[in-house]
Amino acid sequence: MFTPKIPPPDTAPTPGTSLVPPLTGLVHPPACTCHHTPTAPAPVPAAPPAGPAVRFTPGSLLVAAAGGTAMVLVVGTVLVSMLLATAITAASVAVCAVVLRSLLNRPNNR
């Protein structure tokens, strides 16, 4: 399945030949048959003056500010919850370490 499929030697092309036949004798008809002489190209109309790419209305500014505030609050909540989870995990590991240390240091005092 993963081995390359090599053609048998009698059908393999020789290094000097091409698999694509050359395009000889192909003649395209002219695009236009009106026999006129080409003239200067038509002038390109001037572009309108460039204005701001995005125009904000008071309503869209309010929506953008509300969306930005909501995003900041969501990201802040996620980061604070991750920090809180890390602090709780560190505290529980510290308590486990103290308990294990007290159990291993005084086996005869129980």
Side-chain angles (χ1 to χ4, degrees):
M1 180 172 135
F2 294 109
T3 58
K5 306 286 189 279
I6 300 174
D10 59 339
T11 61
T14 60
T17 61
S18 172
L19 295 176
V20 180
L23 297 175
T24 57
L26 184 63
V27 178
H28 292 286
C32 176
T33 58
C34 58
H35 304 292
H36 61 58
T37 58
T39 60
V44 178
V54 178
R55 295 182 186 208
F56 286 110
T57 61
S60 64
L61 283 175
L62 186 63
V63 169
T69 303
M71 188 173 64
V72 166
L73 289 176
V74 168
V75 170
T77 304
V78 169
L79 291 177
V80 167
S81 64
M82 289 173 62
L83 181 64
L84 184 61
T86 304
I88 291 172
T89 304
S92 65
V93 168
V95 168
C96 290
V98 168
V99 170
L100 282 176
R101 182 178 174 190
S102 66
L103 288 176
L104 292 175
N105 281 344
R106 302 179 189 184
N108 297 333
N109 294 343
R110 283 187 274 147

